[in-house]
Structure formats: structure tokens, C-alpha cells
Amino acid sequence: MGDEFPAGATIVFGGSGGIGRGVALEFARAGSAVAVVYRSKQDVAETVAAAIRAEGVAASTHRIDVRNRAEVAAGFAEAVAAHDRIHTVVWGAGPVVPQVRIADWGEDMFRQSMEIEAFGFNNAVHTALPHMRAAGGGSFVHLGSAGHDWWPQLDGLSVAPKACNEALIKGIAKEEGVNEIRANSILVGVIDAGQFKVGQENGTFTPEWEAAVKAMLPLKRWGSPQDIGQAAVFFAGRRGNYVTGQTIAVAGGFGV
């Protein structure tokens, strides 16, 4: 696995989140150094970085509010200084969103989701593209939503901004392929981490809800952060180097 990636690092936006942590560790296990981006959970980010170093690769942590392009540019430059090159951008940043019907969205709810997930991703893309072009290529991996294909009740504040990013992924693939820059997306299903855990704790995802959703899944179990990370490693690494502009649902068969 040592030749899975070129020299340099993967930068994981949302690397202190429940899914982002698992993704960061899978890149480390595949031999890539990792730059862990967080906004508020520095202690978690440092714990993730320590686990990455335990895999025998370098790690760094960077505090970035992705809504601010200047912060994104400064944090990305720090990551480049630490690792010489960023070969992969994994986008997993996003708020824990309330589970409400579209008719009940407040303006601030929608604005926050769009500013963090869609505007934030746009900031990361425009920051990383010049670096990737100069370095001879790179890869974007977007962590989207299985709701892109099968609308999940009440989860629109997560699905809608990610749909904007799905379109951007297609555009990057078409426009930047000539620069050996690839872009792909993982449609994430119910993963036993992150927002799902929060929903369990606050009672949004009840045992009855879980039973009903599992009844729709060919695989009668939830996914893990490692499942998402392994798909991301494939998209970004040597084995996926002729794959771009594509999506893969890591969702236990949801929507089949």
C-alpha cells in the first residue's frame, strides 16, 4: 500500500467529526500523511492526529472556519508547509442539522447549512485548485448524502447543500481533468457515527425509526466511518486513478 499515493498529504475538512476521523485514519493506513481540519474540537483533532502518527505517517492539525476563504487559504498554506504537497482534498465538513420539514426551515437554518457545506466547499476548491495544478494533479473526494438518490424524510438541510456540491464535483471533473485533477463523491448512508449518534442521543432517531430504516436495507446493519474511508481511499488513490466525475453510494443498499 506504500505506493497508493504520491508524496504529500490528504487534507480532511471535518477531520474531527465522527465520520471524518474514520476517513482520516483510513488514509493513514493506506500510507498517506494527513492534515486534519477542525473548527472547534481541537482536542479531538489532536487525538486523531496522534492516532494517525501511530500508523507511521505524519499528521498535522489546522483550525479553519470554512465559511471564511481567507482562513481556508491560510490553513491550506499551513498544511502545504507541513507536508510539501496536498494530493487529496476530502470534504466532510458540515453542521449537525435539525431534522425538520422543508416548510419549517428557518432562513438562518438554510443559510448556515449552505454557508458551511456549499460555500465552504467552494472556498476549499478555489484554494486547492492552483496548488494541484502546479503539483501536476490531485483529487477531490466529497462526502455527500445517500439522500441525493432517495430523499430521506426531514433531512433536507443536509441533502440540499450537498446536492450543490455534487454538481460542482461534476464540473471539476470535466474542467480539470486536463490538469490530472479528479473529483468524485461518496453518497453516505446511515453511518454509526456523527449526526446519527447525535440523533440517537436527542431522541430524533428512535428504535422504531431504526427498525423501519433497516427494513429497507439489503444489508441489515449500519455502516462505519471506516467503510466511508475505504471508499475515499479508492477514489483518491492509485487504484482509482482513471475514475473521475463519479458517485458511489456507501449506504448498505439504501435506494436499491
Side-chain angles (χ1 to χ4, degrees):
M1 295 291 286
D3 61 347
E4 188 71 23
F5 300 102
T10 301
I11 187 168
V12 181
F13 287 89
S16 62
I19 295 176
R21 284 175 252 172
V23 171
L25 280 169
E26 288 304 309
F27 273 91
R29 290 165 183 152
S32 175
V34 183
V36 179
V37 175
Y38 69 96
R39 186 181 66 85
S40 59
K41 295 185 286 189
Q42 181 178 5
D43 56 338
V44 177
E46 295 296 347
T47 298
V48 175
I52 290 167
R53 295 183 190 110
E55 296 292 335
V57 297
S60 60
T61 61
H62 309 273
R63 186 194 178 281
I64 299 174
D65 184 338
V66 297
R67 296 170 294 184
N68 185 316
R69 188 175 294 192
E71 282 196 30
V72 175
F76 190 88
E78 289 176 1
V80 172
H83 303 285
D84 295 327
R85 175 185 177 186
I86 298 298
H87 56 70
T88 299
V89 171
V90 175
W91 183 259
V96 174
V97 300
Q99 300 290 294
V100 295
R101 295 183 181 277
I102 294 171
D104 297 325
W105 290 357
E107 182 179 353
D108 287 345
M109 289 180 184
F110 186 57
R111 186 180 303 280
Q112 181 184 27
S113 291
M114 291 298 293
E115 285 185 349
I116 294 174
E117 296 209 49
F119 280 81
F121 182 52
N122 185 60
N123 288 339
V125 167
H126 280 83
T127 299
L129 276 177
H131 172 77
M132 287 184 175
R133 287 172 176 171
S139 176
F140 291 92
V141 180
H142 172 247
L143 305 188
S145 170
H148 189 71
D149 288 337
W150 185 284
W151 185 266
Q153 182 86 323
L154 307 181
D155 200 34
L157 285 169
S158 175
V159 178
K162 289 179 173 66
C164 174
N165 292 348
E166 297 296 344
L168 190 55
I169 285 289
K170 295 286 188 183
I172 296 167
K174 287 198 172 184
E175 294 181 4
E176 297 296 332
V178 67
N179 296 311
E180 286 297 321
I181 297 171
R182 299 182 297 109
N184 296 287
S185 188
I186 299 167
L187 303 183
V188 178
V190 180
I191 302 301
D192 195 17
Q195 172 142 345
F196 178 60
K197 287 298 190 185
V198 174
Q200 283 181 316
E201 291 169 5
N202 65 25
T204 299
F205 303 136
T206 63
E208 293 77 17
W209 180 92
E210 292 188 36
V213 174
K214 278 186 177 176
M216 295 189 293
L217 297 180
L219 296 177
K220 305 299 182 183
R221 55 183 170 81
W222 306 134
S224 71
Q226 290 73 27
D227 294 323
I228 305 303
Q230 288 165 8
V233 166
F234 166 75
F235 269 147
R238 171 181 51 80
R239 291 169 295 174
N241 69 1
Y242 199 57
V243 179
T244 194
Q246 303 303 309
T247 60
I248 182 171
V250 181
F254 184 69
V256 170

